[in-house]
Amino acid sequence: MKVEQIYTGCLAHAAYYIESKGEAAVFDPLREVQPYIDRAQIDNAEIKYVFETHFHADFVSGHLDLRKKTGAEIVFGPNAKPGYEATVAKDGQVFKVGDYKVKVIHTPGHTMESTTYLLIDDKGKEHGIITGDTLFIGDVGRPDLAQHVVSDLTEEKLAGHLYDSLRNKIMPLSDDLIVYPNHGAGSACGKMMSKETTDTLGHQKEVNYALQPDMSKEEFIKELLTGLTAPPGYFPQNVLMNIKGYESLDTIMERGTQPLSAEAFEAAANETGALVLDTRNAEDFAKGFIPNSINIGLEGSFAQWVGEMIPDVKQPILLITEPGKEEEAVTRLSRVGYDNTLGYLKGGIDSWKKSGKDMEQTRRSTVEQVVDQYEKHQLPMVIDVRKKSEFDSEHLIDAVNIPLNEINQHLAEIPKDKPFLLHCAGGYRSMIASSILKQRGWDNFADIRGGFDALKETELPKSEYVCPTTLL
């Protein structure tokens, strides 16, 4: 049986495609659906079903646009209550895709509608399980997201349901089944996910902490909840979009890719209160940017950090990109529900420069300059904006940890009357922090080129390395 995993690294997201006898099915598609349609056309196949493992929190699914463009039937598992036409399957129900079969296995725990799909080949052999956020490689789905949408669904209740689902529905399955999860390392939907994106169920029974046969429900709940941090603020908003529905991506792309001259761009920013989002790399941004703009670079985990740093998915946004990157930026914003892009600066930052309008810069320090300051006993306060788990694993002695996604809640701890240095792991997140601080009126700071990756190669005093127990 051929199962094609379509992996998108910036979201650590996996969709799946199967085809048999001219019929195809797509599982957990991303917002832009043309790649799935193109894939089916290669096989001269019709997309018959769009299977959803649950109402996703970390991205907006493309199921509605895929149904609109192909006529495919949307399928959810038991307990789902979508605000649009869809099939809500029963536990054990079987769907046919050509000579393949897809069996519904209701596995509540990550959410109450969470469902695993058992894939059965044309000879009747069970091939694999598409597990959504129920089971990852090395981890299981966090049980604390649904509470942000339905208050009665506490993380303890859901963790208990997940324990039962894993032991009663997943672990009794054959060891040779291939596990096809919805996410890999880098996703905020689990705390210790592997970089591997598939594995056998038998191997996961051996190595996955959550599948140990002698673990009691109480031990499981405690282990699962330990190390969780608050989920990104956009997660509940994405859940509601996936439940209730959303605008077509075609409409969003048309609106968001309107080219604006420097004058029109400035007028739109002033009239609409739009956030000016600069998606260039950190080095280019530091050399010159539009006052009050925020930098979140396209070359990193762009959509995730937009979701972390921009609280409202309905926020109007004006884009600055490298020329030719406008459609990519609008698409990646839409993946996480930021559908209100109003246009982009035509000609990029060069057109702003040529217009003679105001620009700002932000300072950057080299590691050599930091070492020199330390040796002269002139090293200022160092703020480490990595995750707490990264900081706890290893950090500069006397550095202060203010994780980037919490920076707005800790502005009072950041001095305005004396200099300080910022760093993350490599420079991507510290430039996001720099742009936010510049927007809020800070100026007496520099971020460190190369971040902690470069700092740890120096003789600067560091804490003893501790292997992290969570990647959140």
Side-chain angles (χ1 to χ4, degrees), residues 22 68 75 108 110 114 157 178 225 265 270 277-278 290 298-299 321 384 394 428 445:
K68 179 181 178 181
V75 179
H110 174 64
S114 284
K157 285 182 181 178
I178 300 173
L225 299 185
F265 189 92
N270 291 334
L277 180 60
D278 192 322
I290 296 174
L298 271 178
E299 82 278 10
T321 72
D384 184 335
E394 188 179 17
Y428 180 85
F445 68 91

Side-chain angles (χ1 to χ4, degrees), residues 431-449:
M431 190 53 68
I432 300 175
S434 295
S435 67
I436 290 170
L437 293 177
K438 287 287 287 189
Q439 186 195 53
R440 304 295 177 83
W442 274 262
D443 193 54
N444 197 13
F445 68 91
D447 94 298
I448 302 172
R449 280 193 180 94

Side-chain angles (χ1 to χ4, degrees), residues 66-335:
L66 202 48
R67 181 185 66 182
K68 179 181 178 181
K69 291 175 182 282
T70 68
E73 181 180 345
I74 299 171
V75 179
F76 284 95
N79 291 344
K81 296 177 181 178
Y84 41 81
E85 182 182 347
T87 296
V88 178
K90 297 178 180 178
D91 191 21
Q93 187 170 345
V94 175
F95 294 83
K96 294 194 70 176
V97 181
D99 287 339
Y100 296 162
K101 293 179 182 178
V102 179
K103 183 177 180 181
V104 174
I105 303 176
H106 187 210
T107 48
H110 174 64
T111 65
M112 287 307 294
E113 79 283 351
S114 284
T115 295
T116 294
Y117 294 104
L118 176 64
L119 305 179
I120 302 169
D121 71 14
D122 53 351
K123 296 179 177 59
K125 177 176 172 54
E126 295 178 352
H127 167 82
I129 45 176
I130 292 178
T131 55
D133 287 19
T134 294
L135 175 62
F136 298 125
I137 308 306
D139 203 357
V140 291
R142 57 191 297 170
D144 61 328
L145 302 182
Q147 188 174 8
H148 295 269
V149 180
V150 181
S151 59
D152 288 344
L153 292 176
T154 66
E155 57 189 28
E156 289 82 8
K157 285 182 181 178
L158 282 166
H161 286 304
L162 184 55
Y163 177 88
D164 293 336
S165 292
L166 292 168
R167 274 140 186 84
N168 299 332
K169 298 290 190 72
I170 299 295
M171 292 174 68
L173 296 172
S174 174
D175 285 355
D176 64 356
L177 290 181
I178 300 173
V179 177
Y180 297 106
N182 196 195
H183 298 292
S187 169
C189 293
K191 60 182 182 178
M192 284 296 288
M193 283 185 273
S194 170
K195 292 181 180 179
E196 301 299 321
T197 58
T198 61
D199 195 8
T200 64
L201 181 57
H203 188 244
Q204 282 303 295
K205 290 177 186 178
E206 293 176 9
V207 302
N208 192 319
Y209 74 93
L211 301 186
Q212 299 313 299
D214 57 349
M215 179 182 279
S216 70
K217 181 180 286 191
E218 291 72 23
E219 290 171 332
F220 175 88
I221 292 172
K222 182 180 179 181
E223 179 69 24
L224 187 57
L225 299 185
T226 299
L228 290 181
T229 60
Y234 78 99
F235 272 25
Q237 298 174 79
N238 275 200
V239 171
L240 291 175
M241 291 177 72
N242 282 317
I243 292 174
K244 295 179 179 180
Y246 46 77
E247 278 189 294
S248 168
L249 181 60
D250 293 341
T251 302
I252 292 153
M253 294 300 294
E254 183 178 354
R255 181 171 61 231
T257 54
Q258 295 296 317
L260 301 170
S261 67
E263 289 72 23
F265 189 92
E266 184 176 45
N270 291 334
E271 292 168 9
T272 65
L275 174 73
V276 178
L277 180 60
D278 192 322
T279 66
R280 295 176 298 148
N281 66 56
E283 191 68 37
D284 289 340
F285 178 83
K287 292 175 182 176
F289 55 88
I290 296 174
N292 296 318
S293 59
I294 297 298
N295 174 240
I296 305 178
L298 271 178
E299 82 278 10
S301 297
F302 173 72
Q304 293 181 7
W305 282 110
V306 166
E308 288 276 16
M309 305 313 297
I310 303 176
D312 184 3
V313 296
K314 297 178 181 178
Q315 168 69 48
I317 292 172
L318 288 165
L319 282 173
I320 300 161
T321 72
E322 295 290 353
K325 294 287 188 178
E326 303 86 12
E327 287 192 11
E328 179 186 348
V330 177
T331 298
R332 289 172 67 177
L333 284 167
S334 73
R335 287 175 181 167

